[in-house]
Amino acid sequence: MMHSASAPGKVILLGEHAVVYGYPAIAIPFGTMRATAKAVPSPSGSGVSIIARDVGRALHVHLDDDTPDNALTYAAQLALRALGKPSLDLTIEIKSSIPIGGGFGSGAAVSAALMRVIALAVERPFVNEELNQLVFEVEKMHHGTPSGIDNTVIVLNQPIFFQKDKLIQPFKVESPLTFVIAYSGVPASTRETVGDVRKLYQSNPDHYGSILAQIGALVTTGQNALQTGEVHQLGELMTQNHRLLRELTISSEILDRLVETAQSAGAFGAKLSGGGRGGNIIALAPPEKSEGISAALRTAGAVRTWLLILGEAPTDPKT
Ligand code: PMV
């Protein structure tokens, strides 16, 4: 029997990087881009293999290998161990439309889809809390010291206010908000940017600690603006957040250009989203200007743009 499972990408609306230091952040699932995993039975005794054509990998999962150097095999191992090491003969094909290194949570989404399909194959679906913990373990391999925001928003598939070691707060908005998302086409390593912010912070804890605290404060204001639909205020906070991220040295020439372009084309505000130094930007747009903003962003160098309407489409909690 064939099984399939999927998980969405994500964007961070406010608070990346500071969230690693315990400040709050806001993240939204982005279901237009997804990772999917399909599992089909394979010949008896062949064990579990993973095929990821997008990245040209064919991997065999060795349950007892304690030093997996690949996130896919590590994710499969963790899932199999959590499920009591069932003896399975399975070929799992992974596909993803989420740009790798794009700040869209590709790693967490692939892990979530892969673990889900393994659990379906043994007819013991994970509850979200359990899956979230397992995906977080794999995130440590991807990111070093992840805050846990990516795995949480992707596994829950709901917009969240997130703070490390605090209760996660899913939220809804009163009226739909339109975001334009633009991918710079430049993949970047979150492990590296998070590490560089750490070095900056250690070099001057007063100065950089104050920038991280300012980001934390604007996220708290942003939560209210988001819920009450104060789009001008929310946009302004996003732009301020971008400026603070620049001070943390994690913007780049193209990200700055895309943020400025979105603003000149009529966005309420815009910022880089995710790890930075590449990846994507997110702009809050008046609905009637969203197409124009998208076109301007592509002219300014974005390789791809998408619309994300928060509060419009019902989210599917299962996938
Ligand atoms: O995976 P990315 O690039 O979307 O970045 C995640 C957000 C960071 O705050 C930069 C890191 C983290 O673990 O929270």
Side-chain angles (χ1 to χ4, degrees):
M1 187 175 163
M2 191 186 89
H3 296 279
S4 71
S6 72
K10 69 99 221 306
V11 285
I12 295 182
L13 184 52
L14 291 171
E16 53 274 269
H17 286 285
V19 69
V20 174
Y21 296 78
Y23 293 106
I26 305 172
I28 311 172
F30 188 25
T32 308
M33 46 174 79
R34 303 190 78 81
T36 56
K38 285 200 173 113
V40 291
S42 53
S44 174
S46 57
V48 177
S49 332
I50 303 169
I51 297 172
R53 288 182 218 283
D54 303 344
V55 288
R57 301 300 298 260
L59 303 152
H60 190 75
V61 181
H62 298 280
L63 246 189
D64 298 324
D65 175 3
D66 282 334
T67 51
D69 58 355
N70 179 282
L72 291 172
T73 42
Y74 185 42
Q77 276 188 344
L78 289 176
L80 288 164
R81 286 177 190 160
L83 294 163
K85 299 193 182 178
S87 121
L88 273 183
D89 299 307
L90 219 52
T91 301
I92 303 169
E93 179 149 7
I94 305 284
K95 284 192 179 149
S96 174
S97 58
I98 308 172
I100 295 170
F104 295 116
S106 151
V110 165
S111 300
L114 173 60
M115 290 176 162
R116 274 187 176 136
V117 91
I118 292 175
L120 285 178
V122 294
E123 294 175 8
R124 214 215 87 183
F126 288 123
V127 294
N128 282 342
E129 289 70 24
E130 189 180 12
L131 182 64
N132 196 14
Q133 275 312 314
L134 293 171
V135 177
F136 184 56
E137 287 308 309
V138 189
E139 285 292 280
K140 290 182 191 164
M141 181 184 253
H142 282 298
H143 285 180
T145 56
S147 63
I149 191 168
D150 278 18
N151 45 287
T152 304
V153 66
I154 281 167
V155 168
L156 297 188
N157 195 20
Q158 291 184 64
I160 52 167
F161 298 136
F162 177 91
Q163 198 165 2
K164 238 163 64 172
D165 305 323
K166 297 253 167 81
L167 206 65
I168 311 304
Q169 297 176 56
F171 69 90
K172 291 198 167 81
V173 290
E174 299 261 305
S175 44
L177 293 174
T178 302
F179 294 97
V180 178
I181 292 157
Y183 180 41
S184 65
V186 181
S189 155
T190 302
R191 176 185 278 271
E192 223 170 278
T193 55
V194 168
D196 286 354
V197 170
R198 172 79 56 192
K199 278 183 217 143
L200 276 182
Y201 175 67
Q202 283 165 348
S203 72
N204 191 341
D206 284 351
H207 179 65
Y208 290 103
S210 138
I211 292 175
L212 294 166
Q214 287 175 60
I215 294 177
L218 72 76
V219 174
T220 305
T221 316
Q223 292 186 354
N224 293 325
L226 189 57
Q227 284 183 306
T228 52
E230 302 284 339
V231 283
H232 290 280
Q233 189 189 17
L234 183 58
E236 179 50 36
L237 289 165
M238 289 169 69
T239 306
Q240 276 176 29
N241 193 165
H242 183 75
R243 280 189 215 116
L244 293 166
L245 289 167
R246 272 186 67 159
E247 290 190 48
L248 293 178
T249 74
I250 60 131
S251 190
S252 68
E253 194 253 315
I254 181 157
L255 293 178
D256 288 344
R257 182 163 78 242
L258 294 177
V259 164
E260 278 156 30
T261 302
Q263 286 176 291
S264 314
F268 294 119
K271 63 181 273 293
L272 74 85
S273 174
R277 297 230 182 102
N280 73 92
I281 68 120
I282 176 167
L284 178 60
E288 70 285 0
K289 292 195 178 157
S290 59
E291 287 304 332
I293 293 170
S294 301
L297 286 167
R298 288 194 298 270
T299 306
V303 294
R304 204 148 166 216
T305 59
W306 298 262
L307 285 190
L308 188 170
I309 318 254
L310 178 64
E312 191 184 55
T315 50
D316 178 357
K318 282 266 178 320
T319 53

